[in-house]
Every structure is written in C-alpha cells, then in structure tokens.
Amino acid sequence: MEERATTDGLTGLTNHRAFQERLAQIHALAERTGRNFSLILTDIDHFKKVNDTYGHPIGDAVLKRVAAVFAGRARKVDIVARYGGEEFVLVLPDTDAEGAAIFANKLREEVAAQTMTSDQGPFAVTISMGVAEYPTDGHATAELIERADQALYHCKHNGRNCVTRASQLA
C-alpha cells in the first residue's frame, strides 16, 4: 500500500509527493551536518512533438525508458522522481554541482544513445538538465528547485540537449 502511495504508476519512480518528503529529510540532514547535496531538474526535449508524432502510448514508452536510464544509474542514496509530465528530478546527497553536472552529462548521453521504436520507425530523444547545489545555490528547498529550473530553462533557450549549473548563470 505504501509503495503504491509513493510510486509513480507509469515510471515506477518516486512520485512528486514522496519526493518532496524525501527532499525535506535530505535537506534537514544537510543543514544539521553541514554537508552538501545537488538537485538535477530535467525534462525531455520536444516531448509534445513525440506525443503528437507517435502517439501517447509511444510517449509513455519514452517516459519509461528515460526513467529506467535514470534509475539504473542512480545510487541507492539518491532520489530519482517523476516531477510531473515529462519532468524528472534527481537529488544526489554528498555531491557538489560539478560532480552532479558530470553525472547529468552521462545520463544525457545515455538517453540520447537510446533507440526508441514506433510504427513510423526508430527515433531518438534528448534531455536538458539544470543543476543546483545546496548550500551554494540556495538554502531553502524551494530556492534550489527554482535555481535548477532556471538552469534547465537556460538549456531550453540555448539549444537543448545540454546540462547547465545554476552557478553558471549571471
């Protein structure tokens, strides 16, 4: 029962509500211990076009495949969650923004290397990712999410299929 309440039904990842609870725990621990963590906000580039071109069942398959890549690469201590729609969030305890960006780039490359299938033939998708680090980029969880979101949107407005750290923004 608890698993169903905390898991996204489509992807099998942590759902948004459970993510917020786990993020609060990691944040409280980081505040107490003086340790850092990084948050990566990501979404699938041009996902609406995937749904419009190939249909929603194929879009769902893409979401599942991307989620599997994230879950397969994450450590047991990391949070990997579906944030909403085609957005995902990862929280990496004891990881600075530079380490998180390296990890994010590996995820980005692995997703781009996936071959998706449809009745109309194979295709690929890419992802954009924004990284924020506690406490460097913000102290409150909402502030960290906002900073990661700003970095993600910087990617979106500058060619997509990239990783941007919040500290790289003006």
Side-chain angles (χ1 to χ4, degrees), residues 93-164:
D94 297 316
T95 306
D96 65 13
E98 184 177 345
I102 291 168
F103 178 71
N105 269 306
K106 288 178 184 175
L107 291 174
R108 183 185 59 76
E109 290 168 357
E110 189 169 338
V111 167
Q114 301 291 309
T115 301
M116 309 296 171
T117 57
S118 76
D119 291 343
Q120 298 173 39
F123 66 99
V125 296
T126 59
I127 57 175
S128 296
M129 308 178 94
V131 177
E133 177 188 347
Y134 171 87
T136 307
D137 297 316
H139 290 275
T141 57
E143 185 180 9
L144 288 169
I145 291 168
E146 176 62 28
R147 295 285 286 142
D149 196 43
Q150 290 168 355
L152 171 62
Y153 275 90
H154 178 81
C155 289
K156 295 286 196 190
H157 294 293
N158 290 280
R160 302 178 193 262
N161 191 26
C162 65
V163 174
T164 299

Side-chain angles (χ1 to χ4, degrees), residues 3-78:
E3 185 176 324
R4 290 178 73 187
T6 60
T7 303
D8 176 66
L10 179 66
T11 64
L13 298 179
T14 301
N15 67 22
H16 188 90
R17 184 186 60 76
F19 155 73
Q20 292 289 353
E21 291 172 2
R22 291 195 54 208
L23 176 60
Q25 293 169 347
I26 287 173
H27 181 255
L29 183 61
E31 280 185 316
R32 244 188 351 267
T33 62
R35 300 180 88 155
N36 63 353
F37 65 89
S38 287
L39 186 141
I40 303 169
L41 194 59
T42 179
D43 75 7
I44 300 169
D45 297 329
H46 304 292
F47 187 71
K48 182 181 181 331
K49 186 176 177 184
V50 171
N51 277 335
D52 290 348
T53 302
Y54 304 104
H56 290 275
I58 297 297
D60 287 351
V62 168
L63 290 170
K64 289 178 191 177
R65 176 81 66 88
V66 171
V69 169
F70 293 166
R73 284 267 186 185
R75 304 170 298 182
K76 287 185 190 277
V77 297
D78 297 337

